[in-house]
Amino acid sequence: QSQLVESGGGLVQAGGSLRISCSASRTIFSSNAMGWYRQAPGNQRELVALITSSGSTVYADSVKGRFIISRDNAKNTVYLQMNSLKPEDTAVYYCTAETTLSFGAKRNSWGQGTQVTVSS
């Protein structure tokens, strides 16, 4: 029952850039990996990028080299800088706080999502 608030979604032309943000509480921010998933029509929710408390990052192959995940510890905020956007990037982007439990199980808290639409 965490509160994650996304912002910065919108409409952008193909080839353009957009930065979306996710604000969390200090407790959530410091005790979880933070990241972004997205869900496009007809698709399952998929991992876009993840950043751990130690700064390690993971990116989906489809966004590697174009997207950058970062964090501002002072603001308890995670960012996703999206460059060279493509129409196939159109999706609802969800912020997540992810904790790894015993036996590798994951526990995720989710934001409400922010719509990113890339026009051709």
Side-chain angles (χ1 to χ4, degrees), residues 24-31 76:
S25 71
R26 179 188 296 178
T27 299
I28 292 173
F29 191 86
S30 64
S31 61
N76 299 316

Side-chain angles (χ1 to χ4, degrees), residues 48-120:
V48 177
L50 195 72
I51 184 166
T52 69
S53 59
S54 64
S56 299
T57 58
V58 176
Y59 294 94
D61 289 340
S62 59
V63 307
K64 188 180 291 291
R66 298 189 297 120
F67 291 9
I68 302 172
I69 187 170
S70 63
R71 65 185 183 188
D72 186 331
N73 293 333
K75 295 182 178 180
N76 299 316
T77 300
V78 179
Y79 303 96
L80 185 67
Q81 177 67 46
M82 301 179 287
N83 301 313
S84 302
L85 282 161
K86 306 174 181 179
E88 50 263 46
D89 294 318
T90 296
V92 177
Y93 284 71
Y94 296 92
C95 181
T96 189
E98 185 174 280
T99 300
T100 300
L101 305 176
S102 56
F103 307 110
K106 305 289 186 181
R107 181 173 65 198
N108 292 85
S109 297
W110 301 98
Q112 295 189 54
T114 185
Q115 176 71 47
V116 173
T117 302
V118 184
S119 62
S120 60

